[in-house]
Amino acid sequence: MRSFLIFWAGPLGFLWGWYFLSYYDLSMGMYFFSRDMHDLVFRIYGNVLGIAPESIPPLVARACIVDTGLVLSLIAFRRRRQIIAWVKAWRAARAAYGKELPSVSVS
């Protein structure tokens, strides 16, 4: 499971790191992180897909959000017994905490 998360989060971190560094032209002397490279990459993707280059980043962001939801739901499904036990313990502790304190109503 740990390697699955690494292979999922690694490319996403690389993608968004490159995107924001190149978007704000924080090139650090490398053409890879320049705004020119940023515009060129999205112009190429726009031509290949036949859509405007400005519409690609929101589509990628939406795909990353859906992908993240799928990954987190897979993790939650695999660990559902531990999550259910944690919720039951949390509710029991919360109920016990509520019984210890008297309720005070201010009128």
Side-chain angles (χ1 to χ4, degrees), residues 13 29-30 49 57-58 92:
M30 293 183 280
L49 296 173

Side-chain angles (χ1 to χ4, degrees), residues 5 13 21 26 28 33 40 48 52 55 57 61 73 76 83 91-92 96 104-105:
L5 287 175
L21 286 173
L26 301 172
M28 299 173 280
F33 293 116
L40 176 65
V48 168
S55 64
S73 64
I83 293 171
R91 285 183 179 171
V104 177
S105 64

Side-chain angles (χ1 to χ4, degrees), residues 10-12 14 18 28-29 32 34 66 68 74 76 80-82 86:
L12 281 180
F14 179 75
W18 171 81
M28 299 173 280
F32 182 72
S34 69
V66 170
T68 301
L74 177 67
R80 65 187 178 274
R81 290 184 189 96
Q82 296 167 344
W86 177 80

Side-chain angles (χ1 to χ4, degrees), residues 12-103:
L12 281 180
F14 179 75
L15 170 73
W16 290 111
W18 171 81
Y19 177 79
F20 286 111
L21 286 173
S22 65
Y23 183 79
Y24 293 112
D25 201 17
L26 301 172
S27 62
M28 299 173 280
M30 293 183 280
Y31 182 70
F32 182 72
F33 293 116
S34 69
R35 181 64 190 212
D36 294 334
M37 180 71 162
H38 176 91
D39 293 337
L40 176 65
V41 166
F42 283 105
R43 197 173 332 121
I44 291 170
Y45 280 142
N47 289 336
V48 168
L49 296 173
I51 59 176
E54 300 82 29
S55 64
I56 295 173
L59 294 174
V60 172
R62 200 172 311 147
C64 288
I65 290 170
V66 170
D67 183 43
T68 301
L70 289 173
V71 168
L72 293 178
S73 64
L74 177 67
I75 292 170
F77 180 74
R78 289 193 56 157
R79 297 184 180 198
R80 65 187 178 274
R81 290 184 189 96
Q82 296 167 344
I83 293 171
I84 291 170
W86 177 80
V87 168
K88 286 181 180 178
W90 179 75
R91 285 183 179 171
R94 190 171 175 207
Y97 180 73
K99 290 177 184 175
E100 293 173 6
L101 294 176
S103 63

